[in-house]
Amino acid sequence: MEIALVIVVVAVIFIVRSVKVVPQQNAWVVERLGKYHGALTPGLNFLVPFIDKVAYKHSLKEIPLDVPSQVCITRDNTQLQVDGILYFQVTDPMRASYGSSNYIVAVTQLAQTSLRSVIGKLELDKTFEERDIINAQVVAAIDEAALNWGVKVLRYEIKDLTPPKEILHAMQSQITAEREKRALIAASEGRRQEQINIATGEREAFIARSEGEKLAAINNAQGEAAAIMAVADANAKAIELVASAIRQPGGEQAVQLKVAEKAVEAFSKVAADATTTLIVPSNMTEVSTLISSAMKMVGANKV
């Protein structure tokens, strides 16, 4: 009975030590008599009891690693408190087991030193503007060295950049001054545009007024010209009518009578004015001579 119990116990030990079930996305490194033998793949695996043993177990999943916060000095000698997070993955279980005694510590230390080196090449303002470049350079520096450790660095992200309080205060003052400057520039641009708009409006109004005055002057000139032409045409027609009437029988006698009436009317007006001294011709035949002269002129016009 005791022998059977011992046999059962030994069988259970053999089964436990020989049968291994590896989970998905895991790799177990097997050593045979202390020497690397191979890596067990996910699923059911068998080992030689007391000869083979599982020396290392690695997860092949992407692993996020928090990089401790550290003080970095920029190119312009400004201290920055920087912390970040690193994402890596084990790609070679054998190298991860024998390439470094602790690849997690190695990757963490390398990430810190690489970050200090990259930050030291940049000025303070650039560290805030070029986070993507910093992340890419840190990944490139770590990934090159991590190949010997069987680790693939996927990406690095800066979580926080914290400058000293004095620098923060100076940056806030600079931002405030810059915003005030932009506000003043915007106000001056608004005033300048307002003055330009006013000047443009006045110029257009002046041009419109001058155009209106020009058109008014042209219209007045055309109206006066038309009036003069109308008066001239009327006078010409009146003269033509008078000339035509003179050519009719008895026309000359009518003219003589009209001229005599005008002469007598003129003498009458002069005589009626008390302030005017009237000089009467000594020879009244001069009146008839005046009428005769007027008739000669009319006759000349007929010819």
Side-chain angles (χ1 to χ4, degrees):
M1 187 67 182
E2 293 180 355
I3 296 174
L5 182 60
V6 171
I7 294 174
V8 170
V9 171
V10 172
V12 170
I13 293 174
F14 266 80
I15 293 173
V16 170
R17 294 184 66 90
S18 62
V19 177
K20 299 294 181 182
V21 177
V22 180
Q24 183 67 33
Q25 284 297 93
N26 281 264
W28 292 2
V29 174
V30 177
E31 292 180 352
R32 175 166 292 179
L33 299 176
K35 184 180 178 180
Y36 173 76
H37 176 67
L40 301 181
T41 59
L44 182 63
N45 295 271
F46 296 95
L47 301 178
V48 178
F50 304 104
I51 296 177
D52 296 339
K53 73 170 184 177
V54 177
Y56 300 97
K57 295 181 179 181
H58 299 287
S59 174
L60 302 182
K61 299 177 182 178
E62 183 176 338
I63 301 173
L65 178 63
D66 190 16
V67 179
S69 177
Q70 62 177 334
V71 176
C72 300
I73 300 177
T74 63
R75 184 178 179 182
D76 49 357
N77 296 324
T78 302
Q79 293 183 351
L80 281 177
Q81 192 78 19
V82 186
D83 62 347
I85 185 168
L86 183 69
Y87 297 87
F88 69 95
Q89 186 177 25
V90 175
T91 56
D92 190 339
M94 190 272 289
R95 288 180 179 270
S97 301
Y98 304 103
S100 174
S101 60
N102 191 331
Y103 62 84
I104 294 179
V105 174
V107 169
T108 302
Q109 294 296 322
L110 186 58
Q112 288 183 314
T113 56
S114 300
L115 180 62
R116 287 196 296 269
S117 176
V118 173
I119 294 293
K121 298 177 183 178
L122 300 174
E123 295 181 354
L124 177 62
D125 294 338
K126 293 296 183 180
T127 58
F128 296 99
E129 298 174 2
E130 300 181 357
R131 286 197 178 191
D132 292 340
I133 297 177
I134 296 174
N135 296 337
Q137 291 181 357
V138 171
V139 169
I142 302 174
D143 194 39
E144 184 178 356
L147 290 176
N148 295 325
W149 306 331
V151 174
K152 173 66 176 176
V153 178
L154 302 176
R155 59 188 179 277
Y156 177 81
E157 297 291 339
I158 294 177
K159 292 195 297 183
D160 194 14
L161 287 172
T162 307
K165 294 181 179 179
E166 296 79 6
I167 301 298
L168 281 175
H169 181 70
M171 292 173 63
Q172 290 174 356
S173 300
Q174 182 181 2
I175 292 172
T176 302
E178 186 66 25
R179 289 179 178 175
E180 291 177 353
K181 175 184 175 182
R182 289 199 296 265
L184 291 174
I185 292 174
S188 63
E189 287 292 334
R191 289 193 296 269
R192 184 176 70 88
Q193 190 62 41
E194 179 184 5
Q195 293 175 357
I196 292 174
N197 292 338
I198 291 174
T200 302
E202 292 178 351
R203 180 173 62 86
E204 292 178 353
F206 177 78
I207 293 173
R209 285 195 300 269
S210 63
E211 289 291 336
E213 293 174 355
K214 175 183 176 182
L215 292 176
I218 292 173
N219 292 334
N220 291 334
Q222 291 177 349
E224 292 178 357
I228 292 172
M229 292 297 296
V231 172
D233 290 340
N235 290 334
K237 290 181 180 179
I239 292 172
E240 290 179 358
L241 292 175
V242 171
S244 177
I246 292 174
R247 294 189 187 97
Q248 298 298 323
E252 293 183 1
Q253 290 79 6
V255 172
Q256 291 178 0
L257 178 59
K258 191 66 175 177
V259 171
E261 288 178 354
K262 292 294 184 180
V264 172
E265 183 179 353
F267 276 111
S268 300
K269 290 182 179 180
V270 172
D273 191 354
T275 60
T276 303
T277 303
L278 179 61
I279 300 174
V280 179
S282 60
N283 188 2
M284 292 300 295
T285 60
E286 292 181 0
V287 177
S288 61
T289 302
L290 177 62
I291 295 173
S292 177
S293 298
M295 292 305 301
K296 289 180 180 181
M297 292 178 64
V298 173
N301 289 332
K302 288 173 63 178
V303 176

